[in-house]
Amino acid sequence: MIEIQNVKTKTSVDILTLLLKEKKSEISIYFPKYTVLFSSANENIADDYARLIYVGYKLQECSKKVEYEVIEPHQHESVLFTIVPKDLQMLSETLLELSYLYENEPEEDNFYFEDVYQYLSDVDEGKAKVVCEEYLNMYKEFNSK
């Protein structure tokens, strides 16, 4: 089990080492949902779900199978993604990138949230498919408020 908010490395090699320690065909990765209904601004809730939509998309790119729990706006829990990776090296690079959306500080000033919102724009324009449909609906609900 990996908790993405605990990834503080700057190299995908460190993440690959973590993945190899798992020694399982299915890998469990938790991604935090920081907000909770009635205690967080609608914009922040929308941002949380935008991030999770992007996480699903990125994990799908490097996996044979992606499953995830649906965490509702009133719940304050991390989201469990269970995946069967196609390639551990590709997955480690993806997890490094995704860690920069959470607690890991990038060495360079890349704006990773721009990638999230570009992906959402591509989904709206029909250029990209969405993996986490429930999260897209929640994002749209709170983004419109």
Side-chain angles (χ1 to χ4, degrees), residues 14-97:
D14 292 337
I15 296 172
L16 182 57
T17 302
L18 273 175
L19 293 171
L20 290 171
K21 286 180 183 177
E22 292 286 313
K23 296 181 183 177
K24 297 178 184 174
S25 60
E26 284 192 347
I27 297 174
S28 299
I29 309 164
Y30 283 94
F31 289 83
K33 185 177 92 54
Y34 295 116
T35 59
V36 65
L37 191 63
F38 305 120
S39 297
S40 304
N42 289 334
E43 179 182 315
N44 294 340
I45 295 172
D47 283 344
D48 239 358
Y49 285 115
R51 229 185 327 224
L52 291 167
I53 295 163
Y54 186 71
V55 164
Y57 161 71
K58 293 300 286 185
L59 292 177
Q60 180 67 42
E61 286 186 321
C62 58
S63 302
K64 297 174 191 172
K65 177 178 113 178
V66 175
E67 294 177 349
Y68 62 96
E69 294 178 331
V70 176
I71 303 298
E72 300 289 332
H74 67 276
Q75 296 174 293
H76 190 254
E77 298 176 31
S78 291
V79 177
L80 173 62
F81 283 84
T82 305
I83 63 168
V84 176
K86 293 179 193 173
D87 177 277
L88 287 179
Q89 179 63 40
M90 185 179 181
L91 177 59
S92 67
E93 292 167 6
T94 298
L95 290 177
L96 180 61
E97 176 191 336

